[in-house]
Amino acid sequence: MENTEKETMDLVAHVPAELEELVPWFMGNMKETLESIQSALEKRDLETVREIGHDMKGVGKSYGFAGISNIGAAIETAAKKDDEESLKRGVSDFSFYMKNVKIASGDH
């Protein structure tokens, strides 16, 4: 994602009211996920990267974080294709998202 695309990235998570108390846990887990992806990439363990991306794709929207699902899907696809540039971009996008996402609480 180019910088201009990052500027238009959806940085608002719409968390369902019944999941609000889980947000701190979820965000902590996603920070660990980012570290795991970075570690796996350093080892060129693309299967682990693909699996993590797949998991992100599945879990993000469940907690109201559509951006995590979208980024996870991109990481999964890039790992399947062994596309190093797209993997770097995916990790960069994930890091940017985690630093900038805002939480919109309640049902929307």
Side-chain angles (χ1 to χ4, degrees):
M1 197 174 284
E2 300 297 323
N3 284 339
T4 55
E5 291 176 345
K6 282 185 179 169
E7 291 170 6
T8 61
M9 184 187 293
D10 183 7
L11 293 172
V12 178
H14 299 282
V15 178
E18 65 272 13
L19 298 178
E20 286 178 13
E21 66 185 41
L22 297 176
V23 168
W25 170 84
F26 181 78
M27 293 299 288
N29 191 28
M30 288 296 101
K31 287 179 184 173
E32 289 176 11
T33 297
L34 177 60
E35 292 169 5
S36 295
I37 290 173
Q38 291 167 328
S39 175
L41 278 175
E42 288 173 9
K43 298 173 191 168
R44 295 289 301 153
D45 183 355
L46 296 182
E47 180 58 22
T48 295
V49 173
R50 186 201 62 75
E51 290 172 1
I52 293 170
H54 180 81
D55 291 346
M56 288 170 59
K57 180 176 72 173
V59 75
K61 287 182 184 174
S62 299
Y63 284 88
F65 291 81
I68 287 176
S69 289
N70 296 336
I71 294 166
I75 289 171
E76 179 184 22
T77 298
K80 284 180 185 177
K81 295 179 178 180
D82 192 8
D83 182 345
E84 190 172 341
E85 270 311 302
S86 293
L87 283 169
K88 287 178 183 177
R89 191 167 47 248
V91 171
S92 174
D93 290 347
F94 189 25
S95 178
F96 179 85
Y97 182 88
M98 291 300 295
K99 290 175 186 169
N100 294 284
V101 68
K102 305 292 183 234
I103 312 299
S105 299
D107 293 318
H108 297 277

